Amino acid sequence: MSSSISLQQTVHCFLSNFQLSPKVPLPGWRIITGRPQRIRPLRASSSLAEAPPSSFPLFQQPPEPEDLTDSKLEPVDPDFYKIGYVRSVRAYGIEFKQGPDGIGVYASKDIEPTRRARVIMEIPLELMLTISQKTPWMFFPDIIPIGHPIFDIINSTNPETDWDLRLACLLLFAFDKEGNFWQMYGDFLPSAEECTSMLLATEEELLQLQDHNLASTMREQQQRALEFWERNWHSDVPLKIKRLAQEPERFMWAMSIAQSRCINMQMRIGALVQDGNMLIPYADMLNHSFQPNCFFHWRFKDRMLEVMTNAGQRIKKGEEMTINYMSKQKNDVFMQRYGLSSPVNPWDVIEFSGNARIHLDTYLSVMNISGLPDEYYHNKELARDGDSFVDGAVIAAARTLPVWCEGDVPPIPSKERKAVKELQEECQQMLMEFSTSSQQDHQILESIMVEEGGESRKRLETAIKYRLHRKLFIEKVIEALDVYQDRLLF
């Protein structure tokens, strides 16, 4: 009974804040019942800012078989809103929804295009976990007491490379600090079984990537985390340190959360300007898109992070709010950092070994692609009615296909046909080198999704999607070369 009264009081607080009647739906927050599952946010619609050492727009991604529909989305537990609202977190015109692949942020009403960016979320500095990117280490807020041994562990890290180790230590300390907000917010973070980060992957899951280089990189990252734990969590450490991560799996989980949810940006606090690695609650629930509709802004006057919509962009009710996690990175980098991939990543690459070349300007013209290489976009005004063929994969092909260019000299059809055929044959050879086909991968994914307890196999599913997306990209390039011939050479 007492919890029911508390929830009702919370709802009235929300309504009074927005000056609404209790019978009117709240535009920003939505209060419902039920407990959320602790699952990683959906990854590939599935942001953050630039990632260290490298960081959180191009085309809407085509729907995949596993894409969410409205019937699969449910609002999250009201406690998710409550613990933030009482600590000055505010949201406007959005709601958080839980789906099979985790939590996402969605528009609760139509957002009309405006000349200026619009604020949809505000998170105060006091709720964040932040650490400066360079020495001397500075924390905002400074939750570590003077003389605590966790600072010595943080201070032992390499300033140039170990940002994730430092942030993981800070996160574990926050979980253990009595009364800290992150003790409650941690209930909504993914468990180790549900996390898609390959840092937690088994050897079997790494083999399912069908990418030797990526698997080797992740083994090195796992070993790096294990050695760090062994150095600092040995048997004779103080209890206040030992209890933070009694097993190496606990530390590796914290490190995976730090890697996949870190937001890197510049803060201004008074006269001090500081580049920081930041864990920002609620903002870390925005998923990734190569054509995002939101971005982050630091409001220095009251030390607040703002999530803002792009100026001039219309967002319909129910549309997902997204940001771009990293710019100009291939799928293997996204997989290493976030545990996600996409078949339409406009920055993915195919390494061709032959001498075949197609004419660049002609390819761009045929596909109605405009702009410079780093700013390629599909010029829809020049496209045929209903032409939806060009997507991020076709843009990536424009960057990765071997090309020749001699101004306005037209290509010789016989040479272009020969080059197209050679490139397609090399793509087919790449597909044959995989131990499974894309059709087989689809079948495997479907079988995983219908199995009982499928949520505990998130990393296996993610690994299979990664190799599937690679194959779909190569197949799209083959198809794009077919279109290139059809539209120009015949």
Side-chain angles (χ1 to χ4, degrees):
M1 180 65 70
S2 61
S3 63
S4 175
I5 293 174
S6 176
L7 178 58
Q8 186 179 25
Q9 291 172 342
T10 303
V11 175
H12 279 288
C13 286
F14 273 72
L15 295 172
S16 62
N17 181 66
F18 285 95
Q19 298 181 348
L20 297 173
S21 163
K23 295 184 179 180
V24 179
L26 201 62
W29 300 113
R30 185 172 179 182
I31 304 299
I32 52 88
T33 58
R35 290 291 299 171
Q37 301 175 13
R38 297 186 302 166
I39 303 177
R40 181 72 177 97
L42 178 64
R43 288 318 205 160
S45 98
S46 298
S47 222
L48 301 174
E50 282 299 308
S54 66
S55 102
F56 239 163
L58 292 176
F59 296 95
Q60 187 160 357
Q61 304 178 19
E64 299 181 41
E66 66 276 12
D67 276 1
L68 301 180
T69 63
D70 290 341
S71 62
K72 296 180 180 179
L73 293 172
E74 296 180 358
V76 300
D77 189 303
D79 286 346
F80 182 75
Y81 299 102
K82 179 180 177 181
I83 62 175
Y85 182 80
V86 298
R87 293 168 176 81
S88 300
V89 174
R90 295 294 182 267
Y92 313 97
I94 61 170
E95 56 187 344
F96 294 83
K97 290 186 178 182
Q98 177 82 43
D101 291 307
I103 297 175
V105 186
Y106 298 82
S108 62
K109 62 180 182 180
D110 290 341
I111 300 178
E112 298 299 324
T114 56
R115 294 180 61 184
R116 295 184 178 180
R118 176 178 299 182
V119 177
I120 61 169
M121 205 184 307
E122 298 172 328
I123 303 100
L125 173 67
E126 289 71 24
L127 294 191
M128 306 175 194
L129 295 177
T130 72
I131 182 171
S132 58
Q133 294 183 13
K134 298 180 180 180
T135 54
W137 307 126
M138 301 185 70
F139 308 91
F140 299 101
D142 189 357
I143 63 173
I144 301 180
I146 295 176
H148 196 285
I150 194 66
F151 181 79
D152 293 330
I153 296 177
I154 291 175
N155 203 39
S156 70
T157 59
N158 186 325
E160 300 297 326
T161 60
D162 292 344
W163 63 272
D164 49 351
L165 300 179
R166 293 189 288 273
L167 205 53
C169 290
L170 192 59
L171 179 62
L172 289 171
F173 177 79
F175 285 146
D176 187 66
K177 184 176 175 61
E178 184 177 355
N180 190 273
F181 165 80
W182 283 83
Q183 290 180 326
M184 296 173 286
Y185 191 75
D187 290 339
F188 300 92
L189 297 176
S191 67
E193 293 76 19
E194 298 156 343
C195 190
T196 61
S197 171
M198 289 293 109
L199 187 64
L200 302 172
T202 64
E203 184 61 26
E204 176 190 359
E205 291 164 345
L206 291 178
L207 291 175
Q208 292 299 324
L209 293 169
Q210 296 183 3
D211 185 331
H212 174 75
N213 292 333
L214 178 57
S216 178
T217 298
M218 295 316 302
R219 291 188 191 100
E220 293 173 0
Q221 289 292 314
Q222 290 174 342
Q223 185 63 28
R224 168 172 167 260
L226 180 59
E227 291 176 354
F228 183 80
W229 180 86
E230 290 175 342
R231 284 198 307 269
N232 298 287
W233 270 268
H234 46 78
S235 58
D236 59 346
V237 297
L239 178 60
K240 62 175 66 176
I241 292 295
K242 185 71 173 178
R243 68 191 183 197
L244 299 184
Q246 296 189 24
E247 302 295 334
E249 291 78 13
R250 174 68 173 173
F251 179 79
M252 294 179 74
W253 171 80
M255 185 173 166
S256 70
I257 293 295
Q259 286 186 351
S260 59
R261 292 172 177 266
C262 175
I263 297 171
N264 303 322
M265 62 185 308
Q266 193 173 79
M267 299 178 292
R268 177 182 168 188
I269 300 178
L272 178 65
V273 178
Q274 186 69 258
D275 291 320
N277 302 134
M278 313 167 72
L279 290 177
I280 305 177
Y282 297 97
D284 64 355
M285 294 297 178
L286 280 100
N287 292 323
H288 168 76
S289 173
F290 293 109
Q291 189 181 12
N293 49 27
C294 296
F295 66 96
F296 295 138
H297 174 258
W298 181 256
R299 196 169 73 203
F300 72 91
K301 64 180 181 180
D302 53 356
R303 303 186 303 181
M304 193 84 66
L305 179 100
E306 296 177 319
V307 181
M308 309 186 77
T309 60
N310 296 331
Q313 186 167 357
R314 184 186 304 276
I315 302 174
K316 296 182 180 179
K317 178 180 179 180
E319 184 177 340
E320 187 170 14
M321 317 301 287
T322 57
I323 54 178
N324 191 357
Y325 285 12
M326 291 189 291
S327 178
K328 304 180 182 180
Q329 296 294 342
K330 301 186 297 180
N331 269 352
D332 58 349
V333 178
F334 275 96
M335 197 67 179
Q336 178 182 337
R337 172 78 184 272
Y338 299 106
L340 72 91
S341 63
S342 168
V344 292
N345 181 348
W347 300 98
D348 219 358
V349 171
I350 298 178
E351 299 291 344
F352 289 93
S353 60
N355 297 319
R357 300 283 188 274
I358 63 170
H359 193 261
L360 173 61
D361 293 338
T362 306
Y363 178 86
L364 297 178
S365 176
V366 165
M367 300 299 176
N368 297 307
I369 296 173
S370 302
L372 299 174
D374 284 350
E375 300 173 349
Y376 279 153
Y377 66 95
H378 183 208
N379 193 333
K380 296 181 180 180
E381 295 182 359
L382 300 177
R384 304 174 184 177
D385 293 339
D387 186 353
S388 60
F389 176 77
V390 178
D391 58 13
V394 178
I395 294 294
R399 294 193 176 99
T400 194
L401 282 169
V403 297
W404 63 278
C405 184
E406 295 183 7
D408 296 328
V409 177
I412 300 174
S414 59
K415 283 188 175 182
E416 291 295 294
R417 280 194 293 268
K418 181 180 179 182
V420 166
K421 183 177 180 180
E422 290 183 16
L423 293 173
Q424 287 179 321
E425 288 176 350
E426 189 165 356
C427 286
Q428 293 288 359
Q429 183 61 38
M430 294 177 190
L431 292 174
M432 292 176 63
E433 292 174 358
F434 288 101
S435 58
T436 58
S437 66
S438 58
Q439 292 79 9
Q440 291 172 324
D441 289 342
H442 277 299
Q443 294 172 357
I444 295 172
L445 284 174
E446 290 175 359
S447 66
I448 291 176
M449 294 174 68
V450 299
E451 288 179 2
E452 289 189 17
E455 290 173 0
S456 63
R457 307 187 69 184
K458 281 293 179 183
R459 282 188 298 278
L460 176 61
E461 181 181 335
T462 301
I464 296 173
K465 283 183 180 179
Y466 170 76
R467 76 193 195 203
L468 170 61
H469 292 164
R470 181 65 175 174
K471 296 165 192 173
L472 293 177
F473 171 46
I474 296 174
E475 290 172 357
K476 184 78 173 187
V477 172
I478 295 174
E479 189 178 358
L481 290 171
D482 279 332
V483 173
Y484 174 66
Q485 292 185 87
D486 293 340
R487 293 184 179 178
L488 176 72
L489 301 178
F490 297 103

